[in-house]
Amino acid sequence: MTSAETTIVLDDATASAIRLMLSKLDEQDVAVVFEMVGGTGPIGDLAAEAMKDRNIDL
């Protein structure tokens, strides 16, 4: 578990892998990922980016 003061940074390879995985998910599943992480952190940022690119609304 991380504290509120912890910053998590993904390296380029990991961020690219997550973008690829998100691109393979259907729209509902991308929204689920976003909601699962509370829209925060690097995964939330990448999911939000995917939602914006694919015009997915919650």
Side-chain angles (χ1 to χ4, degrees), residues 10 14-16 18-19 22 30 41-51:
L10 301 176
T14 303
S16 293
I18 293 170
R19 280 189 190 95
L22 289 169
V30 173
I43 306 285
D45 293 343
L46 292 172
E49 178 184 302
M51 290 173 66

Side-chain angles (χ1 to χ4, degrees), residues 2-46:
T2 61
S3 72
E5 298 174 14
T6 302
T7 300
I8 299 171
V9 179
L10 301 176
D11 61 34
D12 290 336
T14 303
S16 293
I18 293 170
R19 280 189 190 95
L20 176 64
M21 286 186 274
L22 289 169
S23 74
K24 302 294 182 184
L25 296 176
D26 64 27
E27 293 180 354
Q28 182 179 1
D29 290 336
V30 173
V32 167
V33 170
F34 180 80
E35 290 175 344
M36 189 182 313
V37 297
T40 61
I43 306 285
D45 293 343
L46 292 172

